[in-house]
């Protein structure tokens, strides 16, 4: 006699939404499937959820010297601080690519770059299409293994398949100024990783390295930030002015920065009071 075996079938209904995916990247939740108290024996069915693709936007914000997690860290040793700091770098800061670099100079010297500053062909800077402004990159000439650290302050190049436009000074140090182009490796690095080279370059130019914690068109805002930092028993910043066309900028700076350890500690202390984006700048001071 043939026995009729009843196999329970569990249907999982999935629906597709025609609404546009939001960029907030909300976590995907697995649909809840209710089960009877004594579930029957049944074959397990693997349900594969669609992975989130698309809507990938480039990250162009300023690389911070201190990680966001520092705000919630109390008594953390230096090793943990450095590890957390690096882990919070923007994803694009892991950029590593090989290709052709060129250089630009006389035709652009004295003109504005993409971030509004004046291009100086004798500074260690570069133009890149996607890396954040400002940020830093280590560039290595694959022919002679010479390496430089440049600050990204401009956009380009827009000619051919070139990855980067170097300043004349950077191209000369790499040894590609005569040929005009060269094959290089470009690696995005954090400001802290760039600091030793920045200090070395500043020393050769009789300059010092500072943290710039703010730049304002209003003197009162600069003074307010200065007072906020001083109120937390940190070294009191100085305010320096500069002219940009008919406007005056009030730059709040701290330093000079004497070592990487000094920079990391100061960055950590600033992050604890909500100042998360100090920039590394070089300047000549009277005293």
């Amino acid at each position: 006699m043939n026995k009729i075996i009843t196999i329970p079938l569990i249907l999982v209904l999935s629906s597709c939404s025609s609404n546009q995916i939001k960029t907030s990247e909300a976590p995907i939740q697995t649909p809840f499937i209710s089960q009877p108290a004594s579930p029957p024996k049944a074959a397990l069915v693997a349900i594969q959820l669609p992975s989130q693709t698309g809507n990938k936007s480039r990250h162009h914000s300023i690389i911070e010297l201190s990680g966001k997690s520092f705000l919630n860290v109390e008594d953390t040793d230096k090793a943990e601080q450095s590890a957390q700091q690096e882990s919070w770098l923007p994803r694009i800061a892991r950029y590593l690519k090989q290709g052709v670099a060129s250089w630009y100079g006389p035709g652009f010297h004295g003109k504005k770059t993409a971030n509004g500053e004046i291009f100086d062909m004798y500074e260690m800077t570069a133009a890149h299409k996607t890396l954040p402004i400002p940020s830093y990159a280590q560039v290595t000439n694959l022919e002679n293994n010479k390496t430089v650290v440049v600050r990204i302050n401009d956009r380009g190049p827009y000619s051919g398949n070139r990855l980067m436009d170097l300043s004349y000074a950077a191209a000369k140090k790499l040894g590609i100024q005569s040929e005009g182009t060269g094959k290089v490796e470009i690696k995005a690095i954090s400001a802290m990783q760039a600091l030793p080279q920045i200090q070395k370059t500043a020393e050769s130019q009789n300059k010092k390295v500072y943290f710039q914690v703010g730049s304002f068109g209003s003197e009162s805002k600069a003074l307010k930030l200065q007072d906020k930092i001083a109120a937390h028993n940190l070294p009191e910043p100085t305010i320096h002015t500069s002219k940009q066309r008919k406007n005056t900028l009030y730059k709040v700076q701290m330093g000079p920065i004497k070592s990487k350890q000094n920079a990391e500690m100061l960055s950590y202390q600033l992050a604890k009071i909500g100042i998360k984006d100090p920039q590394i700048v070089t300047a000549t001071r009277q005293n």
Side-chain angles (χ1 to χ4, degrees), residues 165-179:
D165 255 346
L166 299 159
S167 66
Y168 170 77
K172 187 175 182 180
K173 283 186 176 292
L174 287 175
I176 67 172
Q177 82 282 5
S178 298
E179 295 293 330

Side-chain angles (χ1 to χ4, degrees), residues 139-148 173-174 183:
V139 185
T140 302
N141 185 336
L142 296 177
E143 299 294 331
N144 57 19
N145 290 323
K146 291 183 177 180
T147 298
V148 298
K173 283 186 176 292
L174 287 175
K183 190 172 182 181

Side-chain angles (χ1 to χ4, degrees), residues 115-137:
N115 70 345
E117 68 182 61
I118 302 301
F119 174 64
D120 186 341
M121 59 186 283
Y122 301 107
E123 295 286 343
M124 300 295 290
T125 60
H128 194 274
K129 294 176 185 176
T130 59
L131 287 176
I133 293 178
S135 64
Y136 295 89

Side-chain angles (χ1 to χ4, degrees), residues 95-99 163 184-187:
Y95 178 99
L96 177 65
K97 191 170 288 189
Q98 293 183 357
L163 293 180
V184 300
E185 179 181 85
I186 302 169
K187 179 183 178 181

